[in-house]
Amino acid sequence: MEEPIFENRVNLSDLNQAVMKITDEIKKIIIGQDEMVQLIITALLADGHVLIEGVPGVAKTLTAKLVARSVNAVFSRIQFTPDLMPSDVIGTPVFNPGDARFEFKKGPVFGNIVLVDEINRAPAKTQAALLEVMEERQVSVDGKTYTMDTPFMVIATQNPVEQEGTYRLPEAQLDRFLFKIEVPYPTEEQELQILSRFHQLGNQNPLESIDQALSGAQINHLRQQVKEIIIEEKLLGFIAKLIHQTRNNKAIYLGASPRASLSIMNASKAMAAIRGRDFVTPDDVLAVAAPVLRHRIILSPEKEMEGITENEIIRQLINGLEIPR
């Protein structure tokens, strides 16, 4: 978090203390992966969902659990498998013989922070069951609508390497995620620290050392503060130009939607708040641009064959624009 050299118009002291507390709690266990932790907290404050992609064993699931543990809210986990049905996610009507009527039994998606492990292992109809609940924060069953409690956040994980028994996420579902976070391997030094940390833990469950830093009501309050963060017109123009460039580039087959521009704006506000400011700077926008866009654009077949990545194209687009100062 940056040290402010001015007086904020929005009082961010509670937000900054909460972010520091959550970060400190997670760092009791997680070594490195600072970007992943920061982006998850940013998404939590921006009221967005995150998709975490990385090879097995880089602490994707553990980090999600630690974030949930540091928040005093209902946590649930759904392990996606090829035979998982939509009713296994959202719930199903169950006949109550005492009342002689059907009652809706809520599924595991009814939580505040929902971990969806290996989301690309479930078939399309089960993935589609998440579409309404992620966007509308509600579930419709038998003509009745059940609203999710706030806060509500989905943290999904997937393995980019293993393709057997997996189903590609449709673009409509990918667009529901605020960020796609790519988790790299740790460095050799970080790997040594990981070994030392878990050796010291011994038989202790890592989750037991995590203290709760925030309540659900506090998160809702902090989200309202994030919405008050100031963003200048020239930065809104920069975001609009960047999104427009994704729709007019020969390297990109499918560009980003208006939801992407709104996501960059909201995420940059949360990033500014985390960094201790009540206004957005170009650095805040640049920090969230790639995580917001990398899963929302589809490269042309020629670029895919050349091995070009979405991150490289996004970097080229940003370098081709004049960054407002």
Side-chain angles (χ1 to χ4, degrees):
M1 187 181 66
E2 297 176 0
E3 189 69 29
I5 57 175
F6 48 83
E7 185 177 350
N8 283 326
R9 286 152 288 191
V10 180
N11 187 354
L12 299 174
S13 58
D14 290 343
L15 186 148
N16 296 150
Q17 290 176 10
V19 169
M20 289 178 62
K21 184 71 184 300
I22 293 177
T23 304
D24 290 344
E25 292 301 313
I26 294 174
K27 285 187 175 181
K28 287 181 181 179
I29 307 300
I30 300 297
I31 304 295
Q33 310 299 7
D34 292 341
E35 182 183 15
M36 173 173 63
V37 173
Q38 185 181 56
L39 288 175
I40 291 176
I41 297 174
T42 302
L44 181 65
L45 296 177
D47 194 12
H49 311 294
V50 296
L51 174 64
I52 307 176
E53 184 177 271
V55 297
V58 290
K60 303 186 299 295
T61 301
L62 178 59
T63 302
K65 287 182 176 180
L66 292 173
V67 171
R69 182 84 175 193
S70 64
V71 175
N72 183 16
V74 178
F75 171 72
S76 61
R77 176 185 178 185
I78 311 173
Q79 180 68 49
F80 269 28
T81 57
D83 60 346
L84 198 72
M85 300 294 290
S87 58
D88 298 326
V89 175
I90 63 176
T92 185
V94 176
F95 184 72
N96 186 335
D99 298 334
R101 62 186 180 90
F102 283 92
E103 294 180 354
F104 179 63
K105 182 179 180 182
K106 294 181 177 180
V109 78
F110 283 86
N112 296 120
I113 297 181
V114 181
L115 170 61
V116 180
D117 229 349
E118 296 186 283
I119 189 173
N120 57 339
R121 285 203 168 275
K125 63 180 179 180
T126 304
Q127 292 178 7
L130 281 176
L131 283 176
E132 180 187 18
V133 67
M134 288 176 65
E135 181 65 19
E136 306 294 337
R137 266 61 169 184
Q138 65 182 28
V139 168
S140 298
V141 179
D142 287 345
K144 292 184 178 181
T145 300
Y146 302 88
T147 304
M148 313 301 292
D149 293 333
T150 56
F152 175 71
M153 179 184 188
V154 172
I155 303 177
T157 69
Q158 71 176 14
N159 177 358
V161 178
E162 193 172 12
Q163 301 301 323
E164 186 176 349
T166 63
Y167 303 82
R168 178 184 172 88
L169 269 65
E171 279 66 36
Q173 179 151 359
L174 285 171
D175 204 34
R176 261 65 175 185
F177 288 101
L178 176 66
F179 292 143
K180 179 182 177 183
I181 304 172
E182 296 177 342
V183 186
Y185 282 118
T187 63
E188 182 177 347
E189 181 181 354
Q190 291 170 344
E191 191 110 23
L192 177 58
Q193 293 177 22
I194 292 170
L195 291 170
S196 299
R197 179 71 52 83
F198 278 82
H199 172 66
Q200 293 169 4
L201 284 173
N203 294 325
Q204 182 183 357
N205 185 340
L207 296 176
E208 292 178 354
S209 64
I210 302 301
D211 297 325
Q212 292 177 343
L214 272 178
S215 67
Q218 287 175 307
I219 291 175
N220 292 331
H221 172 68
L222 297 180
R223 285 177 173 177
Q224 293 302 316
Q225 284 191 313
V226 167
K227 292 179 181 179
E228 297 174 16
I229 299 297
I230 299 165
I231 181 168
E232 293 184 358
E233 196 71 26
K234 60 182 181 180
L235 283 177
L236 295 179
F238 175 74
I239 294 172
K241 286 180 181 179
L242 176 59
I243 297 302
H244 187 71
Q245 286 296 313
T246 67
R247 304 169 191 162
N248 296 276
N249 190 294
K250 293 182 179 179
I252 299 176
Y253 172 73
L254 179 67
S257 69
R259 185 187 281 129
S261 58
L262 290 170
S263 296
I264 292 179
M265 180 185 72
N266 294 332
S268 62
K269 286 183 177 182
M271 183 64 73
I274 286 176
R275 291 172 169 177
R277 284 181 276 98
D278 68 345
F279 63 92
V280 177
T281 68
D283 289 338
D284 299 322
V285 176
L286 297 179
V288 301
V292 167
L293 291 176
R294 62 169 62 113
H295 58 295
R296 287 184 162 98
I297 62 174
I298 299 179
L299 301 186
S300 65
E302 295 79 14
K303 292 300 178 182
E304 288 188 346
M305 291 178 64
E306 292 174 14
I308 303 296
T309 66
E310 290 83 359
N311 290 333
E312 293 177 73
I313 296 298
I314 294 168
R315 196 178 305 115
Q316 291 175 13
L317 294 178
I318 293 174
N319 291 338
L321 294 175
E322 182 181 353
I323 299 175
R325 295 294 178 184

